[in-house]
Amino acid sequence: MNLILAPMATLSHEAFRRAVVRFGGCDEYFTEMINASSLLNMGPWEKYYLLSGPEPDKIVWQLTGNKAEPMAQAAAFLAEREGIGIDLNMGCCAPQIANTGAGIAWMTKPTAETCAMVHGVKSAIANAAKDGAQEKRLSVKLRLGAEDFTDDGFFAFCDMLIEEGVQLLTLHPRTKKEKYRTKPRHEYVERLALRYDGKIPVYLNGAVSDRTSYESAIQAAPHASGVMIARAAAQKPWIFAEITGAHTEINAEEVAMQFIDDVEECQPPEFYKTRLQRFFAYYCDNFSFAHYFKTQMLNAQTPEQSRERVREYFEKCPEDCYHNF
């Protein structure tokens, strides 16, 4: 069973992957969404989205966009870089993404339009495999669809993706409007995996936060080929070690300090604050005085102020620093 780090906006960057790798890492690392048009324009921030460390051979580049042509051109560019493959985001429900025609909007557009986009991306990836280079894998991350989705419509949509050359599906089995409080319907992952009888791998995504929930998820979808973990990995960068049963010693202060250092190394100064806030919004939930610690970290204005607040917290709560499992 593959273990996969999910694509998360402002989180799935190199600094965060380094934190995960220090505890043994996982099988694949999906990048945060890369906007196709912005990538082609190669603005001042794009080079940071293209960092592929610390395990570049395990990278999956996730693309988002609202038009077919830029998606194909960006896929061709990424297909020449290291990594496993290209993933098309068809699951993001954030209004600033979906309302532009990107993310889950591809599931609700006319089928012919989505089909043409996928066909163009697949052709671009194939054309990029020159001089005997291995063709990059094409995958799609998707949801069940809008609130009025039907089983027939959902499975027909997935069949279309496979017919157009998609080689792996990751299903977050909630609808467009269903929030995280709603239990994901993991049975749809199992049905999708059985539909393709092992010929097309299907990854499960949603509500896996520890070893117990992992076991529950794979019990519901035993034919899934992998489990993708998102927010729980931000709270616990060691979650993959926890799931595999690896003995791990955690110095929580050291994890926090190293992450701040890595953000400074891997991100532009303009991104420091938001990247640190995003990580600590989850990471602080591990500790006895989570609300207080989180408030302190979210209000920090600079990396150095973040370091000071980490030091202050663990000086006051040294019992929170060391953990073993």
Side-chain angles (χ1 to χ4, degrees):
M1 182 72 70
N2 286 339
L3 294 173
I4 305 100
L5 183 64
M8 294 175 281
T10 72
L11 255 179
S12 297
H13 46 71
E14 180 166 333
F16 182 51
R17 291 193 294 270
R18 289 182 183 185
V20 173
V21 167
R22 289 190 182 96
F23 293 101
C26 59
D27 296 298
E28 298 182 17
Y29 304 88
F30 280 52
T31 66
E32 59 184 313
M33 292 183 295
I34 299 173
N35 182 277
S37 296
S38 297
L39 178 64
L40 296 173
N41 292 330
M42 199 51 71
W45 318 126
E46 302 316 307
K47 64 182 179 181
Y48 298 100
Y49 290 93
L50 295 175
L51 294 176
S52 59
E55 295 189 291
D57 57 317
K58 296 182 179 181
I59 285 288
V60 179
W61 305 99
Q62 192 186 69
L63 269 179
T64 186
N66 57 9
K67 295 181 179 178
E69 186 175 352
M71 292 284 278
Q73 292 174 352
F77 175 81
L78 292 171
E80 294 184 351
R81 304 183 71 84
E82 59 269 270
I84 296 169
I86 314 296
D87 185 73
L88 302 180
N89 184 314
M90 295 190 188
C92 183
C93 301
Q96 64 269 31
I97 301 296
N99 291 347
T100 69
I104 198 171
W106 287 106
M107 294 190 72
T108 57
K109 292 180 182 184
T111 301
E113 184 177 351
T114 302
C115 180
M117 184 274 286
V118 177
H119 182 85
V121 169
K122 179 64 176 179
S123 297
I125 293 173
N127 291 337
K130 303 171 184 175
D131 302 322
Q134 183 174 355
E135 184 176 322
K136 293 292 194 294
R137 184 186 75 192
L138 176 59
S139 61
V140 170
K141 188 172 186 291
L142 72 165
R143 287 192 175 222
L144 294 172
E147 307 316 296
D148 61 351
F149 90 97
T150 64
D151 284 12
D152 287 346
F154 170 72
F155 288 114
F157 182 83
C158 294
D159 288 347
M160 177 275 291
L161 296 176
I162 304 309
E163 289 167 5
E164 290 300 333
V166 172
Q167 296 157 287
L168 181 145
L169 298 172
T170 301
L171 179 61
H172 184 141
R174 292 183 172 105
T175 64
K176 179 179 179 180
K177 293 184 179 180
E178 284 178 331
K179 305 300 182 182
Y180 292 114
R181 291 186 296 272
T182 303
K183 186 177 180 181
R185 299 176 233 186
H186 287 148
E187 66 271 17
Y188 275 91
V189 177
E190 178 68 0
R191 291 174 66 184
L192 200 58
L194 291 174
R195 186 178 187 86
Y196 303 122
D197 195 25
K199 297 174 184 176
I200 300 295
V202 178
Y203 288 170
L204 177 152
N205 176 226
V208 175
S209 59
D210 52 24
R211 186 174 179 85
T212 299
S213 56
Y214 167 81
E215 291 173 347
S216 176
I218 60 174
Q219 184 175 9
H223 290 88
S225 297
V227 173
M228 176 181 281
I229 299 177
R231 295 175 301 155
Q235 180 184 348
K236 302 184 292 184
W238 52 86
I239 190 169
F240 299 107
E242 177 182 338
I243 286 171
T244 58
H247 176 72
T248 301
E249 296 181 353
I250 301 160
N251 181 325
E253 181 178 4
E254 185 177 285
V255 172
M257 290 296 203
Q258 187 63 63
F259 181 76
I260 297 169
D261 290 347
D262 288 338
V263 165
E264 284 192 302
E265 183 178 340
C266 299
Q267 297 284 285
E270 293 85 354
F271 287 7
Y272 290 168
K273 184 178 178 181
T274 55
R275 273 44 178 175
L276 292 173
Q277 286 176 329
R278 176 81 158 145
F279 175 75
F280 284 107
Y282 296 111
Y283 187 68
C284 291
D285 286 337
N286 291 304
F287 307 112
S288 301
F289 299 94
H291 179 73
Y292 166 78
F293 193 13
K294 186 181 299 187
T295 300
Q296 291 295 301
M297 297 307 294
L298 295 185
N299 288 329
Q301 299 300 308
T302 65
E304 190 49 48
Q305 196 171 71
S306 296
R307 291 186 184 93
E308 291 172 3
R309 294 182 178 193
V310 169
R311 282 191 290 266
E312 288 171 0
Y313 181 82
F314 289 106
E315 285 173 1
K316 294 176 181 177
C317 304
E319 67 280 3
D320 273 358
C321 191
Y322 295 97
H323 301 272
N324 290 279
F325 67 81

